[in-house]
Amino acid sequence: MRPDGTPRPTKDRAAGAFRRRPGKLVALGFAAAIGIGTLLLLLPVSSAGRGATVVEALFTATSAVCVTGLVVVDTATHWSGFGQVVILLLIQVGGFGIMTLASLLGLLISRRMGLRTRLVTASATRSVGLGDVRRVLLAIGIITAVAEGAAAVVLTGRYMVTYGEPLGRATWLGVFHSVSAFNNAGFALYSDGLMGFVTDPWISLTIVAAVVVGGIGFPVILELRRTGWTPRAWSLHTKITMLMTGVLLVGGGAFVTVAEWSNPATLGPLDVRGKLLAGFFQGAMTRTAGFNSVDTAGMNNGTWLGSDVLMFIGGGSGGTAGGIKVTTFAVLLVVIWAELRGDPDAVFFDRRIAPAAQRQALSVALLSVAAVIVPTIVITSTSQFSLDQVLYEVVSAFATVGLSTGITADLADWHQILLVLLMFAGRLGPVALGTALALRDKQRLFRHPESAPIVG
């Protein structure tokens, strides 16, 4: 109702509901998309042979909408052309939706701040800030179309020229894999993933480029488009995202290459150039992309554990990547470093990290750890699979990565349902939780007496 007693228009009521309960409405929207996708995949026309079960359809729809890439049936052979189109559309809806969600929630947070704080934030971030919703949606749409289109052109040309695919088939392969890569989904139209292109730099590096662009986040892309490659003009968020992305890309690739160099099941049979390319590709895919150019099931246990860490960290905020996000991880590192040095403030790039951001980062990280540990214990205790296999699967689901040790389809139905819940929570959880914490931040006119328990 308006102050004068007249009812508010429907649009005003919807906007008010979004401001009051953004997390709930967003979860309902994603759940609705998953429900529609499940029903479509249950149609006989969606399957190439036998029809999908309810669990198979639900799992696939959730994996697509949450841009994860874990599968319980072979995407290339189980689903018909119609079913694959449905999966592609669900990936696009999920990827575009999460970027829009993060950006609009950023607007919501900025509008809940005081005017002075809003102006300072807009000046400091130089990103979404105080912009209007229409401009945000248009910019996201343009960036998505350009990135996916460029990757699709390169992939289509490669499939035609090098692999002899006819124009129609090559175009379909190029479009599907470019959309899947930009949205960090990891779905592939080959039964062995991208193992057939392990030494092909045109396919591998194009996929990596699309994954990185989609994973660094819309606010960063928008700022880079405006400021160019001038680090001095970047906001703190962009500096942290670009630095951590570069470090983890190089470090992750180097780790996988060294760890798997002599493994006969993965990099061992390749020449030096092939090993370097495959190692870099596989390290990049742990940033929540989920494609594989080597057999992840054949990797060493140590590689699985290191990949768990990379998957858990994830990519940039406001993008299609999952995990706790590189900014969260960077804030925690800076806080730990400041504590070790005895510094009163956590400082990064000559900027003091606000105490509220430190608390939010700690909350997101610890709750995410709990979200991984509990299902890992449950599945390990009730299945024949080893701890390292289950942990890899659980982290991959929660961080919406899609890499697997090959046990997904062999899990019990209720284990797969548990992974469905993990994918849903992992896709929306960190964003919704971070937003909820920011929106709950309020001034208190008093402070309790201070005391310090013994730590350690």
Side-chain angles (χ1 to χ4, degrees):
M1 300 289 289
R2 290 195 177 103
D4 60 3
T6 59
R8 291 183 182 274
T10 303
K11 184 181 296 184
D12 290 347
R13 291 199 300 271
F18 180 78
R19 286 193 294 269
R20 291 191 300 272
R21 298 182 299 275
K24 182 177 180 179
L25 293 179
V26 166
L28 288 175
F30 270 75
I34 291 171
I36 294 172
T38 301
L39 294 176
L40 289 175
L41 292 177
L42 282 172
L43 296 175
V45 70
S46 296
S47 299
R50 69 168 181 84
T53 66
V54 173
V55 173
E56 289 171 345
L58 174 62
F59 192 99
T60 303
T62 304
S63 185
V65 172
C66 297
V67 292
T68 304
L70 284 175
V71 295
V72 290
V73 293
D74 184 10
T75 306
T77 59
H78 181 86
W79 304 110
S80 65
F82 178 82
Q84 292 172 359
V85 170
V86 170
I87 291 173
L88 180 67
L89 294 177
L90 292 176
I91 292 171
Q92 191 70 84
V93 168
F96 186 84
I98 200 65
M99 287 193 293
T100 304
L101 160 67
S103 300
L104 295 185
L105 289 181
L107 286 173
L108 174 61
I109 292 172
S110 70
R111 294 181 191 279
R112 284 286 298 271
M113 300 174 180
L115 178 60
R116 179 180 298 178
T117 305
R118 287 168 60 188
L119 293 175
V120 170
T121 301
S123 175
T125 62
R126 297 187 180 93
S127 54
V128 176
L130 304 177
D132 62 281
V133 173
R134 182 180 302 175
R135 178 175 60 84
V136 171
L137 295 177
L138 180 62
I140 292 176
I142 292 174
I143 290 170
T144 299
V146 170
E148 292 179 352
V153 168
V154 175
L155 294 174
T156 299
R158 190 63 172 176
Y159 288 131
M160 287 180 59
V161 174
T162 305
Y163 300 99
E165 295 284 1
L167 176 61
R169 173 66 177 171
T171 302
W172 170 238
L173 291 172
V175 170
F176 188 96
H177 290 110
S178 67
V179 171
S180 185
F182 178 76
N183 291 285
N184 282 223
F187 280 87
L189 293 180
Y190 297 95
S191 298
D192 60 354
L194 298 179
M195 291 175 62
F197 311 100
V198 61
T199 58
D200 188 332
W202 286 93
I203 300 293
S204 296
L205 296 182
T206 299
I207 294 291
V208 169
V211 165
V212 171
V213 172
I216 61 176
F218 165 73
V220 172
I221 298 174
L222 188 62
E223 185 168 338
L224 292 177
R225 189 179 67 170
R226 183 174 57 253
T227 64
W229 292 94
T230 308
R232 291 192 303 274
W234 293 349
S235 67
L236 178 61
H237 173 77
T238 297
K239 289 178 180 178
I240 292 176
T241 301
M242 294 299 290
L243 173 64
M244 296 302 298
T245 297
V247 169
L248 292 174
L249 273 176
V250 175
F255 163 73
V256 173
T257 303
V258 172
E260 296 294 313
W261 187 270
S262 302
N263 187 345
T266 55
L267 303 187
L270 304 175
D271 59 18
V272 173
R273 175 178 168 275
K275 289 179 180 180
L276 294 176
L277 178 61
F280 174 72
F281 180 88
Q282 214 53 56
M285 292 307 104
T286 59
R287 312 304 313 293
T288 82
F291 290 103
N292 66 292
S293 63
V294 296
D295 184 10
T296 52
M299 286 182 169
N300 299 316
N301 292 352
T303 309
W304 283 347
L305 183 58
S307 298
D308 291 340
V309 175
L310 293 170
M311 291 190 294
F312 186 77
I313 295 172
S317 301
T320 55
I324 63 171
K325 305 299 186 295
V326 293
T327 44
T328 302
F329 182 67
V331 168
L332 295 177
L333 288 180
V334 172
V335 170
I336 293 172
W337 180 245
E339 191 64 27
L340 292 176
R341 289 170 55 89
D343 293 336
D345 298 316
V347 179
F348 208 176
F349 288 113
D350 297 324
R351 290 291 185 272
R352 186 176 69 251
I353 305 298
Q358 298 178 34
R359 296 195 303 269
Q360 291 161 16
L362 182 63
S363 300
V364 169
L366 289 182
L367 288 174
S368 297
V369 169
V372 167
I373 290 177
V374 174
T376 300
I377 294 174
V378 171
I379 297 177
T380 303
S381 302
T382 56
S383 72
Q384 75 275 22
F385 300 110
S386 63
L387 173 61
D388 47 8
Q389 289 177 305
V390 173
L391 179 62
Y392 192 94
E393 211 77 10
V394 168
V395 173
S396 181
F398 177 77
T400 66
V401 179
L403 293 172
S404 174
T405 59
I407 68 172
T408 315
D410 297 324
L411 292 171
D413 283 354
W414 73 274
H415 289 155
Q416 294 175 359
I417 295 297
L418 185 56
L419 292 183
V420 165
L421 297 176
L422 272 174
M423 288 188 284
F424 188 80
R427 179 70 279 177
L428 297 180
V431 175
L433 177 60
T435 302
L437 292 173
L439 291 176
R440 287 175 60 87
D441 194 21
K442 54 188 178 183
Q443 259 191 334
R444 179 177 286 175
L445 300 180
F446 66 93
R447 301 183 72 182
H448 293 284
E450 185 176 285
S451 182
I454 299 175
V455 177

